[in-house]
Amino acid sequence: MRSMSISVGKLFGVDVRLHFTFLLLPLFIYGFEYAAHRGNANGPRDLALVGIILACVGAHEWGHMLAAKRYGLIPKAVILLPLTGVAIYDESKAEKAQPSALMWIREIRIAVVGPLLSLGLACLSAGMIKAASPGIELWKWPWLAAGNLPRSVVWANLYLAMINLIPAYPLDGGRILRAFFSRTIDPSAATRRAVSISNAISMVLIVAGLFSDKWLTVVGVIVFSAAQLEERALVFQSVLENVRLEEVMLTDFATLSPADTLEDALDKAVHSLQDDFPVVRGSDMVGVISRQRILDALRAEGNGYVQAVMNKIFEVSVRHDSLGSAFRKLTARNSSIIPVVEDERLVGIVTLQNLMHSMQLLAESRKLKREEQEG
Ligand SMILES: [Zn+2]
């Protein structure tokens, strides 16, 4: 999910990431300007134009996330592409926002906020520019160019509002289309259908751009990348909800006893790949402890017993719980291990480390299987 993007910091608690297509944008702009002005491109102005586009996309996405918040979806991260963004919402709080019959209306409301906000910003900036310096011509080609940055602010917002209405998922128009599909078919099938339509539109744009305005090709490539990103998030989501813990839990694992000394425990930890250990007395689960906790306790207070430093409050799961529920339990308690029990007997453990690993593998294998079925 995080691949092909880099983190650029946090804004209002949301991890803001830039997709690699954003990193290519300065090159595109420089190239186009270079060609347009017969070798006279202006590097700093080109970068300023990238900055303007980034700010406009950021504002657009912020609008979506504010709307989503009203429905209980808490944004955790957002990946910005030059035309759109892919927001990632907090899984641990997603349960409250589970699907209702009117989910498609919610989706449409969240989708339309973006283009409306961009349109509003275009009008606002046009008004401000006209008031400040009436000499600037806003209706003059090229609309979006490094040569006239104020005019570019207006047009970047206008373009964002217009392009986002194209029904190519995950642009807002595509999201609205998907919401309509999801009235009659299940959400993941609706997304797949929207992504297929989107891929077809991207291809048309990419090819059309080769014979006319090169920016069409750029838009096609960006939409195509964004659709892949969303589809991957969807596969992840379906793995989270459909895979049972028994499919991924570790059944061959080390345990500690509450009567072990911390030095003994550390000794055992050295011989294991696990970072977290269930503490078992007889056949009862009595606590959990991490390698780090053992080390910290040894450093702070010297040798003692596992009993004294283990975490006695922990969540347990059963075989048939979903990966998603395990994830939510782990993040809610800020812990990194969940014992899986059956008839009060410990039958396996799930750790954060092992969840991350298996999710990646399962997502890949599901995608392969689906491609086999479809191809
Ligand atoms: Zn949008």
Side-chain angles (χ1 to χ4, degrees), residues 199-251:
N199 287 344
I201 295 177
S202 306
M203 289 309 147
V204 171
L205 287 173
I206 289 171
V207 175
L210 295 179
F211 300 103
S212 59
D213 192 340
K214 301 287 177 289
W215 279 108
L216 289 180
T217 300
V218 177
V219 170
V221 169
I222 294 167
V223 172
F224 186 78
S225 313
Q228 304 310 306
L229 216 60
E230 284 274 346
E231 209 191 5
R232 201 137 48 123
L234 178 87
V235 175
F236 243 72
Q237 197 61 40
S238 92
V239 165
L240 270 181
E241 296 316 320
N242 298 322
V243 173
R244 308 288 127 209
L245 290 186
E246 60 187 342
E247 295 172 61
V248 300
M249 67 186 187
L250 303 174
T251 48

Side-chain angles (χ1 to χ4, degrees), residues 5 7 38 40 42 44 51 63 92 123 159 164 189 192 194 211 221 223 229-230 234 284 334 340 343 368:
S5 67
S7 177
R38 290 179 207 82
N40 281 320
N42 183 329
S92 61
C123 296
Y159 273 129
N164 265 291
R192 276 208 294 282
F211 300 103
V221 169
V223 172
L229 216 60
E230 284 274 346
L234 178 87
D284 292 338
N334 205 6
V340 182
D343 303 328
L368 284 175

